[in-house]
Amino acid sequence: MSYSAAMRARLSDIAQQADVSEATVSRVLNDRPGVAPETRQAVLTALDVLGYERPARLRKRSAGLVGLVVPELDNPIFPAFAQIIESALAPTGYTPVLCTQTPGGVREDEYVEMLLDRQVSGIVFVSGLHADTAADHDRYRTLIARPLPIVMINGYAPGLGAPFVSCDDREAAELAVAHLVALGHRRIGLITGPDRFVPVLRKVSGYKTAMQRLTDISEDELADLTELSLFGVEGGEAAAGRLIERGVTGIVCGSDLMALGAIRAARQRGLSVPGDLSVVGYDDSPLMAFTDPPLTTMRQPVAAMAVAAVRALVDEINGHGAPHSEYLFRPELVVRGSTAVARTDTPPAQGGSQRPTPPAFAVPA
């Protein structure tokens, strides 16, 4: 096939895919006027779908690189943040550089140095050292002084001149407790991570406030019903085992993965969820609607938070100066199958020695 014939075949394919004439395709490829913006976009989309390379003059020009630092990818909530941040950055022309920390791997400060070497236009930190009250936050002051625009997600550090975007962890814990109390639970435990992290401190505060307002549990008992552990399934399982021994009928968890660990701990002791133990997670990360049982959880508004963080960062980059304050987003209670009305006959078995007798239900004839 000659070159001209091959070109005509390619134009024909693109025209068919975009549902336009070959002449229109030719005008778009040669960047000529007289083509409606939506038609031009349809032709460019057809090029991409068919795998043809765009002419150099029609390729998107990157406005620059933006660093995106997340603590891990094992917890599905962090890939969810990364995906939406990338999608929100795309229309602005900025390209994210994803930096993922792993135990014993590259540290946040090392990633920042690498990003600075790449001359990034700004950095988004998700649940980074800014959320750690024991960390030295001067590292961020140094970036701000360069000046380099930065935005922090989930974790507030007073005195830093940057936008912060967080889910309201206090309200999340209060809503979770209120949900379990409405189901008749009184001995409600809390499982969450180390208390040096701002989101953890806020969850503990919200939990205690709600328990004192809605139950007759004393402050001394609340300390016995609060378990701080490592984030993750294993940490949740270990902490839940201790709370089950203390006779809780409901557990509020600091993450969905910890909630899955709590469900595992209950089943290892012959208890059913939610028949004997109700469990509430936090995040509503992907696939939680498909666990066994589907997980009742506090949903972080990830999409709204990610878009707000990107807008704040781009405003900072463009010199518009986003407000240097914390934007709090409301969580949403998502009720599924891991919570139910509290048992009134026999408390859950402690120590796994005996499974409670199931309640009697009337069976229609």
Side-chain angles (χ1 to χ4, degrees):
M1 183 183 293
S2 67
Y3 174 80
S4 59
M7 177 61 75
R8 281 197 301 273
R10 187 170 68 175
L11 289 175
S12 175
D13 292 341
I14 298 169
Q16 184 176 2
Q17 178 70 30
D19 196 23
V20 298
S21 68
E22 292 184 27
T24 298
V25 174
S26 179
R27 283 197 294 271
V28 172
L29 295 181
N30 289 291
D31 202 19
R32 291 175 182 165
V35 181
E38 59 271 17
T39 303
R40 182 179 298 273
Q41 185 57 50
V43 172
L44 294 177
T45 301
L47 274 173
D48 297 337
V49 169
L50 294 173
Y52 293 128
E53 187 175 351
R54 294 188 183 191
R57 58 181 170 273
L58 298 179
R59 294 172 195 163
K60 291 182 179 179
R61 292 178 174 85
S62 174
L65 300 176
V66 166
L68 175 56
V69 183
V70 299
E72 57 169 303
L73 293 180
D74 290 339
N75 186 335
I77 198 64
F78 296 123
F81 267 115
Q83 182 176 15
I84 296 173
I85 288 171
E86 180 179 9
S87 298
L89 280 170
T92 71
Y94 287 97
T95 303
V97 179
L98 180 61
C99 301
T100 306
Q101 301 172 70
T102 55
V106 180
R107 297 177 296 110
E108 181 178 304
D109 291 340
E110 293 171 320
Y111 272 131
V112 168
E113 288 300 320
M114 180 199 73
L115 292 171
L116 293 177
D117 288 342
R118 293 195 176 193
Q119 298 182 321
V120 294
S121 300
I123 303 176
V124 178
F125 294 92
V126 182
S127 299
L129 291 173
H130 65 279
D132 189 342
T133 59
D136 182 1
H137 294 151
D138 283 343
R139 53 174 48 88
Y140 301 114
R141 294 185 180 92
T142 301
L143 293 177
I144 294 168
R146 287 182 69 93
L148 181 76
I150 60 175
V151 174
M152 320 288 200
I153 295 179
N154 279 340
Y156 179 66
L160 288 183
F164 291 84
V165 175
S166 300
C167 185
D168 192 335
D169 294 287
R170 286 191 187 89
E171 184 176 4
E174 290 189 35
L175 287 172
V177 169
H179 170 63
L180 292 176
V181 169
L183 293 173
H185 297 274
R186 289 299 178 269
R187 287 192 65 79
I188 301 167
L190 172 70
I191 296 172
T192 189
D195 60 4
R196 70 177 191 270
F197 297 111
V198 171
V200 170
L201 292 170
R202 290 175 171 179
K203 286 186 179 76
V204 171
S205 173
Y207 163 78
K208 290 183 176 179
T209 297
M211 288 292 287
Q212 290 170 340
R213 185 178 74 248
L214 300 175
T215 74
D216 55 1
I217 300 291
S218 69
E219 191 167 347
D220 289 340
E221 287 179 291
L222 283 181
D224 201 40
L225 295 178
T226 303
E227 280 288 336
L228 304 182
S229 185
L230 296 176
F231 283 112
V233 175
E234 293 76 14
E237 180 181 351
R242 294 189 289 270
L243 288 178
I244 290 171
E245 300 291 334
R246 297 168 196 159
V248 300
T249 63
I251 298 179
V252 175
C253 301
S255 74
D256 288 339
L257 294 185
M258 297 186 94
L260 296 182
I263 293 172
R264 179 192 289 177
R267 287 177 172 164
Q268 287 178 343
R269 289 161 175 77
L271 305 178
S272 71
V273 176
D276 302 317
L277 181 73
S278 286
V279 177
V280 180
Y282 178 86
D283 282 335
D284 194 29
S285 45
L287 303 181
M288 290 305 112
F290 307 101
T291 58
D292 180 23
L295 187 65
T296 295
T297 186
M298 298 305 307
R299 174 182 292 161
Q300 280 200 75
V302 173
M305 292 170 64
V307 169
V310 168
R311 286 177 178 169
L313 185 72
V314 172
D315 283 347
E316 289 276 296
I317 292 171
N318 293 334
H320 300 321
H324 295 165
S325 57
E326 184 178 27
Y327 301 84
L328 280 178
F329 286 75
R330 296 194 64 183
E332 177 188 354
L333 174 65
V334 181
V335 180
R336 297 193 181 105
S338 65
T339 54
V341 174
R343 300 182 62 111
T344 58
D345 53 351
T346 308
Q350 300 181 25
S353 58
Q354 181 181 359
R355 181 170 181 168
T357 304
F361 292 101
V363 180

